[in-house]
Amino acid sequence: MAGVLGVAVIGTGRMGADHVRRLHEVTSGARVAAVADVDAERVKRIADGIEGCSAHTDPAAAMAADGVDAVLIASPGPAHEAALLAAFEHDLPVLCEKPLTPGSASALRVLEAEQRLGHRRVQVGFMRRYDAEYVKLKSLLETGQLGRPLMLHNRHRNVATPPGFTSEMLINDSVVHEMDITRWLLGQEITAVTVLKPTPSGNAPEGLQDPQLVLFETAGGAVVDVEINVNCGFGYQVQAEVVCERGTARIGDGHSLVTNMAGRWGGTIAQDFTERFEDAYDRQMQAWVDATRRGEITGPSAWDGYATAAVCEAGVRAQQEGGRVEVELAKRPPFYA
Ligand code: NAD
Ligand code: ISE
């Protein structure tokens, strides 16, 4: 495709509005051609700020609008399957925010529908794969200098949860990123999940099991731990340390700016994901637009969306029933090789 890519953005809440801004102000080679949201006022307000952008309350109507070549889905997870199937009807390339869908059965239906199209159409918004530090870490592991990865320690901390955030969402909404990054960094599927539950923090809303310690086992015999701690109060932190046979490598310390003043040294901590991963969201968008304009689909696939949904299911069972739960994963179709 030679021209500018016209994108329909479905869902204009926190992430969708930020993606609209990004496409409009940061990304090159793309424009926001249409927006859709069930909230008519919100979607009109957003479209009014962008020349040539139409507003819709029906996602399918936005996808059928003039000048739309591709779709970005940023509605809540339960609305993703319908939006993906509508995009497939128009044979449009899609960048779909995580999760692909909230369960493995619905994710499998999406895989089957994409395979019926005969070509890949979906990139899933696991944006950490575009974070400069994670990219460096993966490149280092791939050189083999450190030897085989034995363990991966992760910390995932949020300042506070929004209203309605449940104990299951610590797994489905938050740890899903570590599921993807583990599979990507180590190049191995996750085979089993165990969840340990400390006495909840006094910062956590009543009834929320926060924090949790989540353990993955991988097909290659690595063990991965994730501290998920989403009402820590002090900042948004995502850190990872890989322990290999000949050394370790660690990212996410946030030491890019260190100040010395009045007998103290220190820096600042990001307060949310839009700040910590701003560059990653930008790079993800540019990579998707560039690949789409070349007629290619790159980045995390619908298979990655399905595989993480399957791990989430094992994780929620482990959280609720206790013990070690094995991940039930379908055979990977050659289509997603
Ligand atoms: P949000 O609640 O702020 O926004 C969702 C928007 O979608 C709302 O404006 C709502 O009116 C609209 N909506 C609801 N149902 C719809 C439908 N059927 N069709 C069209 N619009 C609909 O949510 P959010 O925080 O922006 O999350 C959106 C998506 O982004 C979710 O899938 C979430 O998991 C994902 N997300 C990803 C990251 C990340 O780091 N990659 C961070 C936050 C959220
Ligand atoms: C949110 O939905 C995200 O995707 C963020 O990246 C994550 O850090 C946060 O915990 C989730 O709630």
Side-chain angles (χ1 to χ4, degrees):
M1 179 183 299
V4 168
L5 188 78
V7 181
V9 178
I10 311 302
T12 54
R14 184 167 187 197
M15 287 309 288
D18 197 40
H19 286 320
V20 166
R21 175 199 59 78
R22 177 169 292 108
L23 279 164
H24 190 52
E25 296 174 5
V26 182
T27 313
S28 63
R31 61 179 280 269
V32 184
V35 281
D37 199 297
V38 290
D39 182 335
E41 258 177 51
R42 173 192 287 276
V43 76
K44 182 173 178 321
R45 200 169 54 244
I46 291 200
D48 283 351
I50 299 173
E51 204 187 323
C53 174
S54 55
H56 308 264
T57 48
D58 173 14
M63 295 181 203
D66 278 352
V68 169
D69 308 303
V71 181
L72 193 161
I73 300 174
S75 46
H80 289 185
E81 181 181 3
L84 284 158
L85 297 181
F88 292 169
E89 273 178 30
H90 296 275
D91 200 13
L92 293 170
V94 187
L95 175 58
C96 179
E97 262 302 347
K98 48 70 50 175
L100 176 70
T101 68
S104 66
S106 51
L108 268 182
R109 288 195 292 272
V110 170
L111 292 193
E112 281 156 12
E114 191 179 38
Q115 288 175 81
R116 277 197 299 276
L117 282 178
H119 43 250
R120 281 185 41 199
R121 276 301 187 216
V122 180
Q123 172 169 337
V124 180
F126 286 124
M127 79 299 174
R128 289 192 191 178
R129 296 189 188 199
Y130 296 87
D131 174 69
E133 288 185 272
Y134 272 116
V135 168
K136 259 194 210 159
L137 183 57
K138 182 166 170 64
S139 305
L140 176 62
L141 292 176
E142 282 173 353
T143 65
Q145 289 171 56
L146 294 181
R148 185 167 53 85
L150 307 170
M151 289 181 283
L152 169 61
H153 305 298
N154 301 278
R155 296 187 196 89
H156 186 166
R157 298 175 180 145
N158 294 188
V159 175
T161 45
F165 207 87
T166 63
S167 298
E168 292 83 353
M169 288 171 78
L170 271 79
I171 305 282
N172 290 332
D173 211 53
S174 304
V175 177
V176 68
H177 284 289
E178 275 76 21
M179 294 170 188
D180 180 65
I181 217 69
T182 295
R183 299 175 58 256
W184 179 71
L185 278 177
L186 304 186
Q188 299 169 26
E189 293 295 357
I190 296 168
T191 51
V193 188
T194 305
V195 178
L196 301 178
K197 298 178 283 189
T199 302
S201 159
N203 295 338
E206 182 69 28
L208 190 72
Q209 179 57 61
D210 177 32
Q212 299 176 29
L213 185 70
V214 183
L215 303 176
F216 306 146
E217 294 164 52
T218 74
V223 172
V224 178
D225 59 271
V226 186
E227 171 200 314
I228 181 70
N229 181 0
V230 289
N231 287 279
C232 75
F234 59 81
Y236 182 90
Q237 285 182 325
V238 169
Q239 300 169 336
E241 181 179 34
V242 190
V243 178
C244 301
E245 289 168 315
R246 287 191 289 279
T248 70
R250 168 174 168 141
I251 62 153
D253 288 320
H255 290 165
S256 55
L257 178 71
V258 175
T259 55
N260 299 288
M261 200 176 72
R264 290 180 170 271
W265 65 270
T268 55
I269 308 176
Q271 291 299 298
D272 69 9
F273 41 83
T274 57
E275 184 185 353
R276 164 68 177 86
F277 286 114
E278 184 182 5
D279 291 346
Y281 293 119
D282 288 352
R283 283 199 203 98
Q284 167 184 255
M285 188 71 81
Q286 193 62 63
W288 176 66
V289 166
D290 291 348
T292 305
R293 292 177 77 210
R294 291 194 306 270
E296 293 173 14
I297 302 291
T298 56
S301 67
W303 171 261
D304 296 311
Y306 160 71
T308 50
V311 181
C312 281
E313 276 171 2
V316 170
R317 271 189 56 206
Q319 182 195 78
Q320 293 176 346
E321 296 167 16
R324 172 183 181 275
V325 176
E326 293 196 359
V327 177
E328 290 173 26
L329 198 67
K331 199 166 173 302
R332 185 173 180 140
F335 187 81
Y336 295 105

